[in-house]
mmCIF file of all heavy atoms in Angstrom:
data_model
loop_
_atom_site.group_PDB
_atom_site.id
_atom_site.type_symbol
_atom_site.label_atom_id
_atom_site.label_comp_id
_atom_site.label_asym_id
_atom_site.label_seq_id
_atom_site.Cartn_x
_atom_site.Cartn_y
_atom_site.Cartn_z
ATOM 1 N N VAL A 15 105.266 145.186 -40.422
ATOM 2 C CA VAL A 15 106.085 146.325 -39.750
ATOM 3 C C VAL A 15 107.261 145.610 -39.010
ATOM 4 O O VAL A 15 108.279 146.223 -39.056
ATOM 5 C CB VAL A 15 105.035 147.080 -38.716
ATOM 6 C CG1 VAL A 15 105.864 147.859 -37.745
ATOM 7 C CG2 VAL A 15 104.106 147.915 -39.541
ATOM 8 N N LEU A 16 107.064 144.596 -38.322
ATOM 9 C CA LEU A 16 108.145 143.864 -37.600
ATOM 10 C C LEU A 16 109.241 143.520 -38.658
ATOM 11 O O LEU A 16 110.503 143.638 -38.553
ATOM 12 C CB LEU A 16 107.613 142.768 -36.907
ATOM 13 C CG LEU A 16 106.953 143.114 -35.498
ATOM 14 C CD1 LEU A 16 106.409 141.755 -34.987
ATOM 15 C CD2 LEU A 16 107.966 143.774 -34.609
ATOM 16 N N ALA A 17 108.752 142.900 -39.713
ATOM 17 C CA ALA A 17 109.857 142.544 -40.809
ATOM 18 C C ALA A 17 110.567 143.784 -41.281
ATOM 19 O O ALA A 17 111.762 143.571 -41.522
ATOM 20 C CB ALA A 17 109.152 141.791 -41.991
ATOM 21 N N VAL A 18 109.871 144.802 -41.623
ATOM 22 C CA VAL A 18 110.532 146.087 -42.263
ATOM 23 C C VAL A 18 111.566 146.545 -41.087
ATOM 24 O O VAL A 18 112.649 146.929 -41.501
ATOM 25 C CB VAL A 18 109.606 146.976 -42.685
ATOM 26 C CG1 VAL A 18 110.180 148.369 -42.883
ATOM 27 C CG2 VAL A 18 108.735 146.474 -43.968
ATOM 28 N N ALA A 19 111.060 146.680 -39.959
ATOM 29 C CA ALA A 19 111.809 147.193 -38.803
ATOM 30 C C ALA A 19 113.183 146.303 -38.741
ATOM 31 O O ALA A 19 114.291 146.758 -38.386
ATOM 32 C CB ALA A 19 111.163 147.254 -37.452
ATOM 33 N N GLY A 20 112.951 144.969 -38.666
ATOM 34 C CA GLY A 20 114.096 144.094 -38.574
ATOM 35 C C GLY A 20 115.039 144.264 -39.660
ATOM 36 O O GLY A 20 116.298 144.313 -39.390
ATOM 37 N N CYS A 21 114.567 144.404 -40.958
ATOM 38 C CA CYS A 21 115.492 144.586 -41.996
ATOM 39 C C CYS A 21 116.293 146.029 -41.882
ATOM 40 O O CYS A 21 117.486 146.088 -42.243
ATOM 41 C CB CYS A 21 114.711 144.560 -43.373
ATOM 42 S SG CYS A 21 114.104 143.034 -43.742
ATOM 43 N N ALA A 22 115.484 147.032 -41.367
ATOM 44 C CA ALA A 22 116.171 148.317 -41.174
ATOM 45 C C ALA A 22 117.295 148.181 -39.930
ATOM 46 O O ALA A 22 118.435 148.719 -40.102
ATOM 47 C CB ALA A 22 115.217 149.282 -40.754
ATOM 48 N N CYS A 23 117.037 147.419 -39.071
ATOM 49 C CA CYS A 23 118.148 147.199 -37.964
ATOM 50 C C CYS A 23 119.256 146.407 -38.651
ATOM 51 O O CYS A 23 120.396 146.684 -38.104
ATOM 52 C CB CYS A 23 117.454 146.335 -36.880
ATOM 53 S SG CYS A 23 116.298 147.310 -35.863
ATOM 54 N N VAL A 24 119.086 145.388 -39.404
ATOM 55 C CA VAL A 24 120.087 144.684 -39.980
ATOM 56 C C VAL A 24 121.063 145.741 -40.790
ATOM 57 O O VAL A 24 122.191 145.657 -40.630
ATOM 58 C CB VAL A 24 119.704 143.512 -40.984
ATOM 59 C CG1 VAL A 24 120.824 142.902 -41.731
ATOM 60 C CG2 VAL A 24 119.117 142.483 -40.047
ATOM 61 N N VAL A 25 120.451 146.619 -41.617
ATOM 62 C CA VAL A 25 121.279 147.562 -42.496
ATOM 63 C C VAL A 25 121.967 148.469 -41.485
ATOM 64 O O VAL A 25 123.119 148.843 -41.546
ATOM 65 C CB VAL A 25 120.311 148.313 -43.280
ATOM 66 C CG1 VAL A 25 120.982 149.376 -44.072
ATOM 67 C CG2 VAL A 25 119.682 147.315 -44.394
ATOM 68 N N TRP A 26 121.137 149.101 -40.566
ATOM 69 C CA TRP A 26 121.805 149.958 -39.548
ATOM 70 C C TRP A 26 122.978 149.302 -38.810
ATOM 71 O O TRP A 26 124.021 149.921 -38.618
ATOM 72 C CB TRP A 26 120.704 150.574 -38.615
ATOM 73 C CG TRP A 26 121.105 151.619 -37.771
ATOM 74 C CD1 TRP A 26 122.241 152.474 -37.954
ATOM 75 C CD2 TRP A 26 120.371 152.274 -36.711
ATOM 76 N NE1 TRP A 26 122.172 153.366 -36.909
ATOM 77 C CE2 TRP A 26 121.111 153.304 -36.223
ATOM 78 C CE3 TRP A 26 119.025 152.052 -36.231
ATOM 79 C CZ2 TRP A 26 120.543 154.268 -35.234
ATOM 80 C CZ3 TRP A 26 118.650 152.820 -35.165
ATOM 81 C CH2 TRP A 26 119.411 153.874 -34.791
ATOM 82 N N ALA A 27 122.790 148.152 -38.384
ATOM 83 C CA ALA A 27 123.848 147.468 -37.599
ATOM 84 C C ALA A 27 125.054 147.240 -38.443
ATOM 85 O O ALA A 27 126.190 147.220 -37.867
ATOM 86 C CB ALA A 27 123.319 146.111 -37.022
ATOM 87 N N SER A 28 124.898 146.936 -39.797
ATOM 88 C CA SER A 28 126.028 146.784 -40.565
ATOM 89 C C SER A 28 126.892 147.827 -40.869
ATOM 90 O O SER A 28 127.967 147.888 -41.169
ATOM 91 C CB SER A 28 125.538 146.173 -41.952
ATOM 92 O OG SER A 28 124.922 147.162 -42.687
ATOM 93 N N ARG A 29 126.195 149.105 -40.549
ATOM 94 C CA ARG A 29 126.850 150.417 -40.549
ATOM 95 C C ARG A 29 127.314 150.883 -39.180
ATOM 96 O O ARG A 29 127.836 152.058 -39.181
ATOM 97 C CB ARG A 29 125.946 151.447 -41.158
ATOM 98 C CG ARG A 29 125.591 151.094 -42.715
ATOM 99 C CD ARG A 29 124.618 152.107 -43.189
ATOM 100 N NE ARG A 29 124.325 151.720 -44.606
ATOM 101 C CZ ARG A 29 124.135 152.618 -45.477
ATOM 102 N NH1 ARG A 29 124.007 153.833 -45.264
ATOM 103 N NH2 ARG A 29 123.661 152.101 -46.743
ATOM 104 N N GLY A 30 127.327 150.010 -38.217
ATOM 105 C CA GLY A 30 127.921 150.365 -36.888
ATOM 106 C C GLY A 30 126.886 151.079 -36.049
ATOM 107 O O GLY A 30 127.273 152.076 -35.315
ATOM 108 N N GLY A 31 125.662 150.597 -35.925
ATOM 109 C CA GLY A 31 124.657 151.282 -35.023
ATOM 110 C C GLY A 31 124.882 150.923 -33.627
ATOM 111 O O GLY A 31 125.856 150.276 -33.283
ATOM 112 N N PRO A 32 124.029 151.447 -32.803
ATOM 113 C CA PRO A 32 124.191 151.144 -31.365
ATOM 114 C C PRO A 32 123.975 149.829 -30.918
ATOM 115 O O PRO A 32 123.487 148.951 -31.812
ATOM 116 C CB PRO A 32 122.964 152.030 -30.784
ATOM 117 C CG PRO A 32 122.127 152.483 -31.813
ATOM 118 C CD PRO A 32 122.980 152.277 -33.162
ATOM 119 N N ARG A 33 124.172 149.396 -29.762
ATOM 120 C CA ARG A 33 124.195 147.995 -29.210
ATOM 121 C C ARG A 33 122.766 147.425 -29.389
ATOM 122 O O ARG A 33 122.710 146.123 -29.729
ATOM 123 C CB ARG A 33 124.604 147.897 -27.833
ATOM 124 C CG ARG A 33 124.915 146.475 -27.430
ATOM 125 C CD ARG A 33 125.581 146.369 -26.171
ATOM 126 N NE ARG A 33 125.508 147.493 -25.285
ATOM 127 C CZ ARG A 33 125.795 147.418 -23.943
ATOM 128 N NH1 ARG A 33 126.094 146.306 -23.269
ATOM 129 N NH2 ARG A 33 125.768 148.508 -23.213
ATOM 130 N N TRP A 34 121.764 148.138 -29.175
ATOM 131 C CA TRP A 34 120.424 147.615 -29.231
ATOM 132 C C TRP A 34 120.057 147.273 -30.587
ATOM 133 O O TRP A 34 119.288 146.319 -30.733
ATOM 134 C CB TRP A 34 119.335 148.501 -28.499
ATOM 135 C CG TRP A 34 119.030 149.787 -29.310
ATOM 136 C CD1 TRP A 34 119.741 150.976 -29.014
ATOM 137 C CD2 TRP A 34 118.185 149.999 -30.312
ATOM 138 N NE1 TRP A 34 119.177 151.839 -29.994
ATOM 139 C CE2 TRP A 34 118.248 151.333 -30.739
ATOM 140 C CE3 TRP A 34 117.158 149.128 -30.978
ATOM 141 C CZ2 TRP A 34 117.385 151.786 -31.704
ATOM 142 C CZ3 TRP A 34 116.452 149.787 -31.992
ATOM 143 C CH2 TRP A 34 116.602 151.027 -32.395
ATOM 144 N N VAL A 35 120.542 148.048 -31.603
ATOM 145 C CA VAL A 35 120.259 147.683 -32.990
ATOM 146 C C VAL A 35 120.931 146.505 -33.382
ATOM 147 O O VAL A 35 120.457 145.660 -34.189
ATOM 148 C CB VAL A 35 120.657 149.005 -33.823
ATOM 149 C CG1 VAL A 35 120.676 148.559 -35.342
ATOM 150 C CG2 VAL A 35 119.900 150.148 -33.665
ATOM 151 N N ARG A 36 122.199 146.331 -32.949
ATOM 152 C CA ARG A 36 122.907 145.093 -33.179
ATOM 153 C C ARG A 36 122.242 143.764 -32.639
ATOM 154 O O ARG A 36 122.135 142.728 -33.208
ATOM 155 C CB ARG A 36 124.436 145.185 -32.745
ATOM 156 C CG ARG A 36 125.140 146.262 -33.569
ATOM 157 C CD ARG A 36 126.671 146.006 -33.296
ATOM 158 N NE ARG A 36 127.097 146.369 -31.833
ATOM 159 C CZ ARG A 36 127.331 147.628 -31.424
ATOM 160 N NH1 ARG A 36 127.434 148.576 -32.254
ATOM 161 N NH2 ARG A 36 127.593 147.850 -30.248
ATOM 162 N N GLY A 37 121.605 144.002 -31.586
ATOM 163 C CA GLY A 37 120.834 142.954 -30.802
ATOM 164 C C GLY A 37 119.563 142.541 -31.570
ATOM 165 O O GLY A 37 119.241 141.471 -31.948
ATOM 166 N N ALA A 38 118.957 143.666 -32.070
ATOM 167 C CA ALA A 38 117.720 143.441 -32.907
ATOM 168 C C ALA A 38 117.980 142.852 -34.338
ATOM 169 O O ALA A 38 117.337 141.795 -34.822
ATOM 170 C CB ALA A 38 116.990 144.801 -33.114
ATOM 171 N N ALA A 39 119.236 143.156 -34.817
ATOM 172 C CA ALA A 39 119.631 142.549 -36.111
ATOM 173 C C ALA A 39 120.017 141.168 -35.914
ATOM 174 O O ALA A 39 119.518 140.342 -36.733
ATOM 175 C CB ALA A 39 120.911 143.326 -36.584
ATOM 176 N N ALA A 40 120.628 140.831 -34.762
ATOM 177 C CA ALA A 40 120.895 139.320 -34.544
ATOM 178 C C ALA A 40 119.703 138.610 -34.445
ATOM 179 O O ALA A 40 119.594 137.357 -34.870
ATOM 180 C CB ALA A 40 121.810 139.283 -33.330
ATOM 181 N N VAL A 41 118.719 139.084 -33.744
ATOM 182 C CA VAL A 41 117.453 138.407 -33.539
ATOM 183 C C VAL A 41 116.750 138.115 -34.871
ATOM 184 O O VAL A 41 116.199 137.164 -35.187
ATOM 185 C CB VAL A 41 116.513 139.089 -32.591
ATOM 186 C CG1 VAL A 41 115.055 138.583 -32.667
ATOM 187 C CG2 VAL A 41 116.990 139.067 -31.140
ATOM 188 N N THR A 42 116.667 139.276 -35.774
ATOM 189 C CA THR A 42 116.202 139.172 -37.049
ATOM 190 C C THR A 42 116.887 138.138 -37.845
ATOM 191 O O THR A 42 116.231 137.294 -38.573
ATOM 192 C CB THR A 42 116.314 140.440 -37.824
ATOM 193 O OG1 THR A 42 115.601 141.450 -36.955
ATOM 194 C CG2 THR A 42 115.436 140.509 -39.208
ATOM 195 N N LEU A 43 118.221 138.152 -37.962
ATOM 196 C CA LEU A 43 118.934 137.108 -38.646
ATOM 197 C C LEU A 43 118.776 135.737 -38.276
ATOM 198 O O LEU A 43 118.598 134.662 -39.048
ATOM 199 C CB LEU A 43 120.449 137.590 -38.700
ATOM 200 C CG LEU A 43 120.849 138.706 -39.488
ATOM 201 C CD1 LEU A 43 122.220 139.213 -39.305
ATOM 202 C CD2 LEU A 43 120.406 138.738 -40.908
ATOM 203 N N ALA A 44 118.764 135.620 -36.971
ATOM 204 C CA ALA A 44 118.402 134.234 -36.329
ATOM 205 C C ALA A 44 117.044 133.781 -36.742
ATOM 206 O O ALA A 44 116.894 132.580 -36.989
ATOM 207 C CB ALA A 44 118.565 134.280 -34.774
ATOM 208 N N ALA A 45 116.015 134.729 -36.679
ATOM 209 C CA ALA A 45 114.744 134.272 -37.150
ATOM 210 C C ALA A 45 114.619 133.814 -38.673
ATOM 211 O O ALA A 45 113.925 132.770 -38.985
ATOM 212 C CB ALA A 45 113.654 135.356 -36.887
ATOM 213 N N GLY A 46 115.383 134.559 -39.447
ATOM 214 C CA GLY A 46 115.470 134.191 -40.827
ATOM 215 C C GLY A 46 116.138 132.876 -41.046
ATOM 216 O O GLY A 46 115.635 132.023 -41.882
ATOM 217 N N GLU A 47 117.214 132.556 -40.246
ATOM 218 C CA GLU A 47 117.866 131.113 -40.357
ATOM 219 C C GLU A 47 116.810 130.063 -39.952
ATOM 220 O O GLU A 47 116.842 129.154 -40.525
ATOM 221 C CB GLU A 47 119.121 131.195 -39.510
ATOM 222 C CG GLU A 47 120.195 131.881 -40.155
ATOM 223 C CD GLU A 47 120.704 131.252 -41.256
ATOM 224 O OE1 GLU A 47 120.757 130.033 -41.494
ATOM 225 O OE2 GLU A 47 121.178 131.979 -42.240
ATOM 226 N N GLY A 48 116.143 130.394 -38.983
ATOM 227 C CA GLY A 48 115.035 129.420 -38.441
ATOM 228 C C GLY A 48 114.009 129.100 -39.550
ATOM 229 O O GLY A 48 113.548 127.945 -39.679
ATOM 230 N N VAL A 49 113.567 130.173 -40.097
ATOM 231 C CA VAL A 49 112.552 129.965 -41.159
ATOM 232 C C VAL A 49 113.142 129.200 -42.289
ATOM 233 O O VAL A 49 112.438 128.235 -42.770
ATOM 234 C CB VAL A 49 112.068 131.232 -41.740
ATOM 235 C CG1 VAL A 49 111.247 131.078 -43.002
ATOM 236 C CG2 VAL A 49 111.165 131.956 -40.688
ATOM 237 N N ARG A 50 114.353 129.374 -42.756
ATOM 238 C CA ARG A 50 115.063 128.611 -43.739
ATOM 239 C C ARG A 50 115.254 127.134 -43.442
ATOM 240 O O ARG A 50 114.958 126.382 -44.235
ATOM 241 C CB ARG A 50 116.321 129.285 -44.147
ATOM 242 C CG ARG A 50 116.311 130.339 -45.214
ATOM 243 C CD ARG A 50 117.629 130.728 -45.565
ATOM 244 N NE ARG A 50 117.661 132.139 -45.356
ATOM 245 C CZ ARG A 50 118.658 132.816 -44.605
ATOM 246 N NH1 ARG A 50 119.717 132.191 -44.194
ATOM 247 N NH2 ARG A 50 118.677 134.041 -44.465
ATOM 248 N N ASP A 51 115.587 126.968 -42.129
ATOM 249 C CA ASP A 51 115.698 125.495 -41.697
ATOM 250 C C ASP A 51 114.334 124.780 -41.749
ATOM 251 O O ASP A 51 114.383 123.610 -42.033
ATOM 252 C CB ASP A 51 116.298 125.485 -40.212
ATOM 253 C CG ASP A 51 117.726 125.897 -40.225
ATOM 254 O OD1 ASP A 51 118.474 125.975 -41.235
ATOM 255 O OD2 ASP A 51 118.239 126.172 -39.096
ATOM 256 N N VAL A 52 113.307 125.466 -41.246
ATOM 257 C CA VAL A 52 112.039 124.871 -41.413
ATOM 258 C C VAL A 52 111.640 124.464 -42.714
ATOM 259 O O VAL A 52 111.075 123.469 -43.079
ATOM 260 C CB VAL A 52 110.879 125.759 -40.761
ATOM 261 C CG1 VAL A 52 109.581 125.185 -40.956
ATOM 262 C CG2 VAL A 52 111.299 125.786 -39.218
ATOM 263 N N GLN A 53 111.916 125.421 -43.704
ATOM 264 C CA GLN A 53 111.652 125.217 -45.175
ATOM 265 C C GLN A 53 112.418 123.985 -45.710
ATOM 266 O O GLN A 53 111.891 123.210 -46.367
ATOM 267 C CB GLN A 53 111.820 126.413 -45.945
ATOM 268 C CG GLN A 53 110.890 127.416 -45.670
ATOM 269 C CD GLN A 53 111.089 128.778 -46.538
ATOM 270 O OE1 GLN A 53 112.319 128.919 -46.910
ATOM 271 N NE2 GLN A 53 110.134 129.686 -46.721
ATOM 272 N N ARG A 54 113.719 123.973 -45.353
ATOM 273 C CA ARG A 54 114.545 122.855 -45.763
ATOM 274 C C ARG A 54 113.986 121.406 -45.279
ATOM 275 O O ARG A 54 113.941 120.547 -45.991
ATOM 276 C CB ARG A 54 115.970 123.092 -45.291
ATOM 277 C CG ARG A 54 116.684 124.047 -46.131
ATOM 278 C CD ARG A 54 118.222 124.163 -45.521
ATOM 279 N NE ARG A 54 118.749 125.382 -46.111
ATOM 280 C CZ ARG A 54 119.535 126.260 -45.590
ATOM 281 N NH1 ARG A 54 119.829 126.041 -44.224
ATOM 282 N NH2 ARG A 54 120.042 127.407 -45.994
ATOM 283 N N ARG A 55 113.721 121.458 -44.010
ATOM 284 C CA ARG A 55 113.161 120.268 -43.330
ATOM 285 C C ARG A 55 111.734 119.706 -44.047
ATOM 286 O O ARG A 55 111.779 118.611 -44.376
ATOM 287 C CB ARG A 55 112.999 120.237 -41.828
ATOM 288 C CG ARG A 55 114.297 120.359 -41.096
ATOM 289 C CD ARG A 55 113.958 120.274 -39.679
ATOM 290 N NE ARG A 55 115.082 120.859 -38.938
ATOM 291 C CZ ARG A 55 114.904 121.897 -37.991
ATOM 292 N NH1 ARG A 55 113.749 122.249 -37.656
ATOM 293 N NH2 ARG A 55 115.929 122.376 -37.382
ATOM 294 N N SER A 56 110.991 120.701 -44.279
ATOM 295 C CA SER A 56 109.832 120.298 -44.981
ATOM 296 C C SER A 56 109.941 119.907 -46.411
ATOM 297 O O SER A 56 109.191 118.902 -46.833
ATOM 298 C CB SER A 56 108.755 121.514 -44.875
ATOM 299 O OG SER A 56 109.088 122.528 -45.834
#
Side-chain angles (χ1 to χ4, degrees):
V15 167
L16 285 174
V18 170
C21 292
C23 285
V24 169
V25 171
W26 191 8
S28 71
R29 296 178 181 212
R33 190 171 16 163
W34 69 268
V35 171
R36 291 191 296 266
V41 169
T42 301
L43 293 172
E47 286 293 326
V49 169
R50 273 188 236 127
D51 287 344
V52 167
Q53 287 177 343
R54 286 182 194 138
R55 282 191 212 129
S56 69

